[in-house]
Amino acid sequence: MHSMDLFAETIHAVLKHLRIRKYFIIGHSLGGYVALAMAKEKTINVKGICLMNSTTADDSEERKKLRIRANKMVQQNFENMIKMSVSNLFHQENTLKFKEEINQVKTEALQTSLQGYIAANEGMKNRPNSLEFLKESTFKKLMIIGENDRILNVDTLIEEAKKTNSEYVVLPSDI
């Protein structure tokens, strides 16, 4: 399993190697969970955090079951599962509008190893809730929320932003 802490430690090692001591962290989806883990570990280094289509919440029991099912399915047909997973990230209207870009994302995603996919999915399934951490944090906070996110509910994320004293922007579906 690739825990969010393991991802965070790896990124910290790169930042240390590059001698970057203070930084803003921007994380999209899984990257948001990693950003929260980084901020928890090295709060003193964080100038601000931006979560894009991501949440402080841990997975619901229903979402955990979906991740378990996905890990079983991906073992039987990795390519189809990746293509379906990537397609589900985009609003229906945008699948035609950004067809070429989405195909590029699929091509890149297919370079992920089966073991890497499963390990990251397990890490997301087991991540902790970070609402209280973000609420108590004093660095700058921003949430970018997709109006028609297929996974995360826009109203729930707006409430989360308010609870954590985070600024937020809702991106309309037409961009």
Side-chain angles (χ1 to χ4, degrees), residues 12-42:
H12 282 303
V14 172
L15 292 172
K16 185 176 179 180
H17 175 77
L18 296 173
R19 296 189 173 118
I20 298 172
R21 297 188 51 202
K22 296 278 187 181
Y23 41 81
F24 289 92
I25 310 167
I26 302 170
H28 174 257
S29 191
L30 161 65
Y33 312 145
V34 175
L36 287 164
M38 288 179 65
K40 282 181 192 176
E41 183 66 28
K42 302 282 187 183

Side-chain angles (χ1 to χ4, degrees), residues 1 10 12-13 23 29 31 54 56 59 65 67 74 80 88 96 101 111 113 117 120 128 138 145 148 164 171:
M1 175 181 77
T10 303
H12 282 303
Y23 41 81
S29 191
S54 196
T56 61
D59 273 355
K65 288 177 185 173
R67 291 194 195 281
V74 78
N80 281 348
N88 285 338
L96 293 175
E101 292 85 351
Q111 294 176 21
S113 70
Y117 177 95
T138 57
I145 304 165
N148 290 319
T164 59
L171 296 179

